[in-house]
Amino acid sequence: MKKLSVTYDSWESAMEDFLFQKESENLRPRTIEDYRSHISRFFRNHPEAFSGSKQALTTAVKEHFSGTKSNNYFNGKLRTLSPFFRWLHSQGVIPCNPLENIKGKKQTNRIVELSTETLKELLQ
């Protein structure tokens, strides 16, 4: 079976096709906006990643994820960029999915401090 190969003149046009597909799958508007935000941030910071070079793509991904201090934020970036790169690869736009073997990090718990009055209100 021959692999489909699609050509895009920019990452923006590829992203719009991807988002159109996700909208047709009835994803929530917040999810679509998360995709748009993370994908745009990645390519604004790493415009060379869309060149088609496997080396440029993998280097950009390493740089993008290396500075992430929060496990939750790391996982959010991974959760939104993985489907996009998987889709780009399935369309033949990029030579590989650079996130294919990257695993999420252990989620960290968020501690919220509440006043005694707020706790009493919640318990009533």
Side-chain angles (χ1 to χ4, degrees):
M1 184 165 125
K2 187 172 176 160
K3 190 173 191 176
L4 179 66
S5 183
V6 180
T7 304
Y8 291 99
D9 59 346
S10 68
W11 65 264
E12 293 96 340
S13 59
M15 179 182 70
E16 290 307 320
D17 276 0
F18 171 76
L19 294 177
F20 178 74
Q21 178 182 331
K22 293 302 177 184
E23 287 170 350
S24 72
E25 295 170 7
N26 293 319
L27 294 182
R28 293 184 353 222
R30 170 63 194 265
T31 303
I32 299 298
E33 190 50 41
D34 286 347
Y35 280 131
R36 183 180 305 282
S37 173
H38 283 279
I39 293 167
S40 295
R41 185 175 302 121
F42 175 80
F43 283 107
R44 277 195 311 268
N45 292 331
H46 307 283
E48 73 286 355
F50 199 72
S51 70
S53 158
K54 182 178 180 179
Q55 180 64 39
L57 183 59
T58 54
T59 299
V61 164
K62 287 176 187 176
E63 288 175 5
H64 190 69
F65 281 90
S66 67
T68 306
K69 294 183 181 16
S70 161
N71 289 358
N72 294 342
Y73 189 60
F74 179 96
N75 291 340
K77 290 195 303 188
L78 187 61
R79 212 174 19 257
T80 53
L81 289 175
S82 287
F84 182 61
F85 284 123
R86 190 171 40 251
W87 179 83
L88 285 175
H89 181 61
S90 74
Q91 300 295 304
V93 176
I94 58 175
C96 64
N97 176 356
L99 299 178
E100 186 173 46
N101 295 317
I102 296 180
K103 305 289 184 215
K105 293 185 176 184
K106 183 177 178 180
Q107 292 290 119
T108 53
N109 294 327
R110 186 173 147 224
I111 299 172
V112 179
E113 291 187 34
L114 299 174
S115 69
T116 305
E117 294 79 28
T118 304
L119 284 173
K120 286 178 183 178
E121 288 177 25
L122 288 171
L123 291 173
Q124 290 180 355

